[in-house]
Amino acid sequence: MRGDSVGARRVTDPELDRSIVELEYIDDIEVEAEEGGAHVDVSFTLPTAWCSPAFAWMMALDGREAVEGLSGVARCSMRLREHMHAREVTVGVNNDHSFDATFPDADGGIAEVRSTLDAKARLARQYDAVETLLAAGVTHEQIALLTRDDCRFFDEYVAVGVREGAVEIVVDVEPLRRYLDKAMQTGRVAENDRLFRTPEGDDIDPDEAELVHRRARLAHVNMSGQGGVCDALHESRRAELARQ
């Protein structure tokens, strides 16, 4: 059974904001039919044995919730492998223990860590979306004033109205959809709000729009750079495990 067939694709590494399926963290998925629904057992391995236990906990918890949300699945067990805290994360998540109780010495709780990483991911996705609009000829000032209602989403593209709707620009839908998903998930953008925000979550002053975009670029560069490091570590680790 493949990971993308059970909905795990939408679960991300919170530090990289990339799917754990696309990152090839999933080792194995077993499905056992039981009375009342299937039991799905998912094994996964992270790029290093010392990856943050908070990040591992979030991926295990999100994976379990995603799979248990599928039709026909009664329960899901997530098994972290080859990690210094594999047992604590596996036992804690699968038995509904809290992160704080499992790791009483941890510096900060899951909600605080998740909020920080979500804010960073929102900014990185905003950078991609704004770059898409700039490439289509929309100015920083026009982008700052866009609202959710200025965008008409279709399967392959999005039509963006500018100059008070007098002109409609058509761009690739994916960067804007990914950004809007994260912005709405984090409660930063409601239906009629401005589309883009400062890092602090405020409306963007059109005169400051280019500066805000440069700040978003920092988050994008940071996540991309971290992603490259993790890719290299993961590749090296997979080769090492294959030799064992």
Side-chain angles (χ1 to χ4, degrees):
M1 191 171 187
R2 294 180 58 80
D4 52 359
S5 69
V6 297
R9 184 172 293 277
R10 63 176 179 267
V11 178
T12 60
D13 181 325
E15 187 181 27
L16 309 180
D17 193 32
R18 292 169 58 190
S19 161
I20 63 173
V21 173
E22 294 171 2
L23 288 165
E24 300 185 345
Y25 290 176
I26 304 297
D27 299 319
D28 190 36
I29 300 175
E30 295 182 359
V31 181
E32 182 177 352
E34 295 182 349
E35 186 176 353
H39 174 211
V40 181
D41 193 301
V42 180
S43 299
F44 69 109
T45 304
L46 301 181
T48 71
W50 58 88
C51 284
S52 162
F55 300 169
W57 186 279
M58 283 188 273
M59 285 181 264
L61 184 62
D62 293 349
R64 182 186 172 197
E65 290 178 349
V67 175
E68 289 185 344
L70 297 172
S71 175
V73 176
R75 62 191 179 99
C76 170
S77 298
M78 296 292 294
R79 301 185 187 281
L80 176 62
R81 302 168 65 181
E82 307 290 342
H83 189 277
M84 62 188 299
H85 293 296
R87 183 179 181 282
E88 291 95 326
V89 171
T90 297
V91 171
V93 168
N94 293 326
N95 289 279
D96 296 322
H97 298 166
S98 71
F99 179 80
D100 292 345
T102 304
F103 296 98
D105 296 329
D107 184 16
I110 285 294
E112 180 183 354
V113 175
R114 192 188 291 277
S115 176
T116 299
L117 293 173
D118 276 345
K120 187 175 169 184
R122 176 182 65 82
L123 270 183
R125 292 189 189 194
Q126 176 169 305
Y127 176 80
D128 284 336
V130 170
E131 281 289 293
T132 299
L133 292 168
L134 290 172
V138 188
T139 67
H140 280 293
E141 292 75 16
Q142 290 169 331
I143 291 170
L145 296 174
L146 288 175
T147 68
R148 171 67 180 80
D149 288 344
D150 290 322
C151 303
R152 295 191 298 128
F153 284 83
F154 299 89
D155 289 343
E156 302 292 333
Y157 64 90
V158 54
V160 181
V162 295
R163 299 181 190 172
E164 299 181 346
V167 177
E168 203 165 56
I169 306 294
V170 175
V171 297
D172 180 19
V173 70
E174 189 60 23
L176 269 74
R177 191 185 297 284
R178 287 191 78 248
Y179 162 71
L180 196 56
D181 284 349
K182 181 61 74 175
M184 296 187 77
Q185 174 195 330
T186 54
R188 289 302 187 185
V189 175
E191 286 297 329
N192 299 316
D193 286 347
R194 293 269 189 90
L195 191 57
F196 298 109
R197 298 282 172 169
T198 67
E200 293 76 23
D202 300 322
D203 288 350
I204 299 173
D205 182 335
D207 293 335
E208 301 290 331
E210 190 168 355
L211 175 61
V212 171
H213 188 51
R214 288 202 294 269
R215 293 178 66 188
R217 181 177 180 275
L218 294 177
H220 185 275
V221 169
N222 182 278
M223 296 193 94
S224 297
Q226 190 62 35
V229 171
C230 287
D231 284 343
L233 289 171
H234 192 47
E235 187 66 27
S236 174
R237 188 168 201 215
R238 290 176 61 192
E240 181 182 344
L241 292 173
R243 287 194 295 270
Q244 294 177 356

